[in-house]
Amino acid sequence: MHVCNAISYTSSPIMLSISKDPQNLVANLLYLPNFRNFKNFKHGKKQVTCCFEIQNNLSSHELSRNGRRHAICQIAALFSAISSTVSAARAAETELQEDYELYKDETDKFSLLVPRDWIKGEGKADGQRSVTAFYPESSPVSNVSVIITGLSADYTRMESFGNVDAFAETLVNSLDRSWKRPRGQAAKLLTAKSKNGMYYVEYSLQKPGESKIRLLSVVGMAMNGWYNRLYTVTGQYLEDDADKYGSKIEKSISSFKIA
């Protein structure tokens, strides 16, 4: 992964405006930049613990004098199974270490897994929001962005925006322009769920004549000691590139945690 200290981006579909109206704030959460020009980041480390369970089926009969030879064979097979399982676990661990790394932000207190070869950028959006982004150098569209926004005292938990279904519908409806003439961007809600105090929303966007974009967002809230902050993590990729980037972005989004 590489890093730089600034982000250059194209225009976003929605800009932020802090409002005491939950629906208005939900409608201004997303910022979908196309990131460019990042470099020089030191690779981190990722540790994974794999475990296994082997059942010992040796009976008292097998441990008798007449069954010792058979028991010894089973013990040998047992150790062989252990060796094979450990080797498989190590191979899986090595593969995960090679493909991903755990990114931890000690300042903003969050973490997520990101593909090891993706580029990292960070900066400020609108002079208000902190933005950290990760993207593959070969794709101008696919990326994962973490946007942190300060909230007023009116927002104390995610339910301040309504339940997850209302939140998701407001979010996606605010992006939909398919009802306009001429027809504009179409937005479609795919799934919405609440888990561990965070909202997970999956949806798609498609402008006329362009490829469809799949988006996955997780939104959570945390106090930094002075005020609550909203964490909006969004991964996006072209549906045409789903085989190449879909599982990577899904893994990154699902791994997001607020410390």
Side-chain angles (χ1 to χ4, degrees):
M1 190 191 303
H2 311 286
V3 65
C4 75
N5 293 321
I7 288 179
S8 60
Y9 52 86
T10 61
S11 60
S12 60
I14 296 181
M15 305 303 286
L16 177 72
S17 60
I18 297 296
S19 168
K20 292 187 177 181
D21 181 351
Q23 290 191 345
N24 287 341
L25 182 54
V26 170
N28 290 283
L29 286 178
L30 290 185
Y31 178 81
L32 307 175
N34 292 329
F35 302 99
R36 301 288 189 277
N37 304 324
F38 305 97
K39 56 184 178 181
N40 301 327
F41 184 72
K42 184 178 180 181
H43 286 263
K45 294 183 178 180
K46 172 74 174 71
Q47 291 186 344
V48 177
T49 300
C50 295
C51 63
F52 57 88
E53 180 180 354
I54 296 179
Q55 184 177 359
N56 188 344
N57 291 319
L58 300 184
S59 67
S60 59
H61 171 72
E62 288 169 333
L63 292 177
S64 68
R65 179 183 300 178
N66 294 332
R68 285 177 181 173
R69 178 174 297 179
H70 182 61
I72 290 171
C73 291
Q74 279 209 342
I75 291 172
L78 175 65
F79 278 102
S80 177
I82 291 174
S83 176
S84 298
T85 305
V86 170
S87 297
R90 287 176 177 171
E93 178 180 349
T94 300
E95 182 178 357
L96 182 58
Q97 287 178 336
E98 290 177 351
D99 292 343
Y100 297 88
E101 69 176 85
L102 182 64
Y103 175 78
K104 291 185 177 181
D105 190 310
E106 299 297 342
T107 301
D108 290 317
K109 307 299 182 184
F110 71 85
S111 66
L112 76 166
L113 288 172
V114 293
R116 187 173 291 276
D117 59 346
W118 283 25
I119 299 168
K120 172 180 174 285
E122 53 190 7
K124 294 286 184 180
D126 314 334
Q128 300 178 37
R129 294 179 292 178
S130 169
V131 182
T132 305
F134 308 90
Y135 77 102
E137 192 169 12
S138 59
S139 174
V141 175
S142 302
N143 65 74
V144 173
S145 62
V146 183
I147 302 170
I148 303 173
T149 307
L151 296 173
S152 70
D154 300 279
Y155 300 97
T156 57
R157 55 179 185 163
M158 286 304 300
E159 286 75 11
S160 300
F161 299 101
N163 63 34
V164 66
D165 293 323
F167 177 93
E169 288 177 5
T170 301
L171 176 61
V172 174
N173 288 342
S174 71
L175 296 167
D176 185 61
R177 299 293 181 271
S178 61
W179 49 271
K180 285 191 170 183
R181 294 294 180 269
R183 182 182 176 88
Q185 173 178 267
K188 181 179 180 180
L189 177 62
L190 302 175
T191 63
K193 66 179 181 178
S194 178
K195 182 180 178 181
N196 298 328
M198 295 192 286
Y199 288 175
Y200 293 79
V201 184
E202 183 176 358
Y203 56 103
S204 65
L205 298 176
Q206 185 173 25
K207 293 181 178 180
E210 297 185 9
S211 297
K212 184 179 293 185
I213 298 176
R214 180 69 61 90
L215 301 100
L216 302 93
S217 290
V218 53
V219 185
M221 189 183 300
M223 171 72 71
N224 69 351
W226 294 276
Y227 55 89
N228 278 323
R229 298 191 300 173
L230 193 70
Y231 293 74
T232 305
V233 187
T234 299
Q236 65 175 49
Y237 59 91
L238 290 173
E239 286 200 345
D240 294 342
D241 293 335
D243 291 342
K244 189 173 183 179
Y245 297 115
S247 62
K248 293 181 179 179
I249 289 177
E250 289 173 8
K251 186 178 186 70
S252 184
I253 295 297
S254 63
S255 72
F256 175 75
K257 293 180 180 180
I258 302 174

